[in-house]
Amino acid sequence: MKHNTPSKDRSVATPPDSGAENLEHNQPPSLDDLESDELIVCRNPRVASLQWFYELDEDGTVLTYHSLNEYDVQTGTKRYQADRSIASDGVETAIVSRDAFEAIRGDA
């Protein structure tokens, strides 16, 4: 399983499709690892266009942004569903900044 995990220098965490090489790790990032301006990006490497993001709002609600929905916010994802998705075999993950997410989304 390939993952980018958070590091002390969070500026090095890049989305899987950014061209950065993913590092091999035993544990994927967790929603608990996120700072207020960060999201977890997930990508299915078998389908390059299939990409989604998770974040927690200030109330602890999981917010999901999926490429299939043009990255519009979705609020129906349960925490356990997001955790299982992030930890799924074959899913590449990384912690990214809000700025990186907005650039991918087209808001920057």
Side-chain angles (χ1 to χ4, degrees), residues 9-77:
D9 177 8
R10 293 181 181 272
S11 64
V12 300
T14 55
D17 66 345
S18 69
E21 184 177 329
N22 289 326
L23 303 175
E24 192 72 33
H25 294 284
N26 292 331
Q27 295 294 321
S30 167
L31 289 166
D32 295 328
D33 295 332
L34 296 176
E35 301 291 332
S36 63
D37 62 342
E38 295 176 326
L39 298 90
I40 294 177
V41 59
C42 301
R43 185 173 68 92
N44 181 334
R46 293 177 298 268
V47 183
S49 63
L50 193 57
Q51 181 170 260
W52 59 101
F53 296 80
Y54 294 112
E55 73 172 326
L56 295 176
D57 70 7
E58 57 277 350
D59 297 325
T61 300
V62 176
L63 303 179
T64 305
Y65 307 88
H66 203 290
S67 58
L68 294 175
N69 299 319
E70 299 182 15
Y71 300 112
D72 289 338
V73 65
Q74 307 292 310
T75 58
T77 304

